[in-house]
Amino acid sequence: MAEQIYRPQARRSFLALGVGLAVLSLSACQLVPKAGPQRPPEPTGPETEAPETGPDRTEGLPQDLDRHRIAVLVPLTGANAGVGQSIANAANLALLDSGGDRIRITVYDTAKGVDTAANAALADGNRLFLGPLLSEDVRAAAPIAARSGVPVIAFSNDASVAGGGTYLMGFTPAQSISRVVRYARTQGVERFAALTPEGVYGRRAGQAMIDAVNRGGGRLIGMQSFDRGIPGLRSAIVKLNTQGTWDAIVIADSGRTAVTAAPTLRNGPSSGARILGTELWSTETGLGKTPGLRGAWYAAPSDTMFDQLRTRYRARYGGNPYRLASLGYDAVLLTVRVGKTWRFGRPFPEGELRDRIGFTGIDGAFRFGASGIAERALEVREVTAAGTKVVSPAAREFD
């Protein structure tokens, strides 16, 4: 029986199974429902089981002789509870869809103390961590897991936390910037510019831009950071305009920022330049309502499988998942796949994560490189008046 448990203190997953989400078997046993509290409009909690107690129990969990224990570490309370709950719900769906009867998932609430959650997960005998979500939580949990030889598959997009047994499932700016710049080069774009926000994401996006243009054989005309807000953004564009003209400009921030920047860019010396975006744009709708953004390109994971996941999720939990829910689903299916050769009572076979061919999940093909960061096959979309269209599909597999 596939099983997911919620611990009272803190607890809260890949589609390399060769079939699509729409035809995955629901052969796993149903959980005995003890529904958690609903907090509309946030996603509803999945079915849970109360921890068992008794002389042959460890920290309230039954001893397992024929199942691997996996910990999902996400925030279930506080400001990020909606995202964490959504990831946990999707992890539960993956367990049911895959018939993962060799795996027991327990969910730990990192918002109540990530150190406490990580140590409780180890005490409960978990041999793999899925999560945490936030980079600071990954930094805290990773060394605790490493001391016990437990790998971490985190949901963060902060590349600095990867390595040393920590793997990153999150979407990083380097992935999308590299993809959209590479596509632009195939379309004859040579001269590039970039606007990057102040902060860690902006700094990483800026370095990704430099690397992508250099690899692609283009020229980086100028790059300018900005303070978020209309005055800071407009000031940065004015400064950037003094550095020369370009054929395309990357706005390494949200679609809302691009909406704000477009009119000013269209009135500058590079008014005809192609606007490029990052994966952050994929969560926003209505970008095409801004005329200056029509024709813009950005790279993101395909939504085809996620749309099917959304339908299943809505039917089961009565609400829509956050887009990051796919990370929880894919991480569990990855675990189920590796679990086919994982011997009971042995450490998680970490080497299986570094499969050169890679895996396929809700978000398409991905694989972990030597750095521990997921390399992803992304599609390129073009903003249109009616929404978006795919101008360069994602690769189905890696070379």
Side-chain angles (χ1 to χ4, degrees), residues 171 175-177 179-180 277-283 297-303 323 363 376-381 390 392-394:
F171 307 113
Q175 298 163 352
S176 58
I177 289 175
R179 176 70 167 102
V180 75
T278 74
E279 83 291 342
L280 297 178
W281 293 21
S282 66
T283 62
W297 296 329
Y298 67 94
S302 171
D303 279 339
R323 186 59 181 81
D363 292 320
R376 293 187 174 275
L378 305 177
E379 67 184 19
V380 178
R381 303 176 195 168
V390 176
S392 180

Side-chain angles (χ1 to χ4, degrees), residues 12 39 42-43 72-89 107-112 132-137 155-157 313 321-325:
R12 258 306 190 207
R39 299 183 298 173
E42 293 182 349
V72 175
L73 289 83
V74 289
L76 298 179
T77 54
N80 296 297
V83 181
Q85 183 73 71
S86 199
I87 290 174
N89 288 349
V107 188
Y108 300 75
D109 184 4
T110 56
K112 294 183 177 179
L133 171 65
L134 305 178
S135 60
E136 58 266 31
D137 287 349
F155 304 131
S156 169
N157 66 354
Y313 186 105
Y322 283 79
R323 186 59 181 81
L324 291 181

Side-chain angles (χ1 to χ4, degrees), residues 158-233:
D158 186 346
S160 70
V161 302
T166 297
Y167 299 82
L168 221 61
M169 288 280 287
F171 307 113
T172 67
Q175 298 163 352
S176 58
I177 289 175
S178 175
R179 176 70 167 102
V180 75
V181 167
R182 189 165 66 247
Y183 174 73
R185 288 291 292 132
T186 68
Q187 303 305 301
V189 175
E190 180 181 356
R191 299 172 300 165
F192 294 85
L195 287 166
T196 61
E198 296 285 354
V200 174
Y201 183 92
R203 290 194 294 274
R204 295 216 164 90
Q207 186 59 55
M209 185 68 187
I210 294 171
D211 295 341
V213 173
N214 287 341
R215 282 196 305 269
R219 288 192 292 154
L220 186 58
I221 301 301
M223 185 160 57
Q224 187 66 47
S225 61
F226 62 90
D227 291 322
R228 286 191 169 95
I230 295 176
L233 183 58

Side-chain angles (χ1 to χ4, degrees), residues 371-390:
S371 65
I373 300 172
E375 175 186 355
R376 293 187 174 275
L378 305 177
E379 67 184 19
V380 178
R381 303 176 195 168
E382 180 176 314
V383 177
T384 67
T388 63
K389 65 179 181 181
V390 176

Side-chain angles (χ1 to χ4, degrees), residues 294-357:
R294 294 171 190 169
W297 296 329
Y298 67 94
S302 171
D303 279 339
T304 301
M305 295 301 295
F306 183 77
D307 289 342
Q308 296 181 44
L309 173 61
R310 181 189 289 114
T311 299
R312 284 266 295 110
Y313 186 105
R314 188 186 299 119
R316 191 168 192 88
Y317 300 114
N320 287 316
Y322 283 79
R323 186 59 181 81
L324 291 181
S326 60
L327 298 180
Y329 194 100
D330 285 357
V332 164
L333 290 186
L334 168 61
T335 303
V336 170
R337 174 181 169 176
V338 175
K340 292 179 181 296
T341 58
W342 183 5
R343 294 175 57 192
F344 292 114
R346 304 293 297 171
F348 180 82
E350 184 179 344
E352 296 290 329
L353 296 176
R354 297 186 289 271
D355 189 322
R356 187 184 63 82
I357 297 176

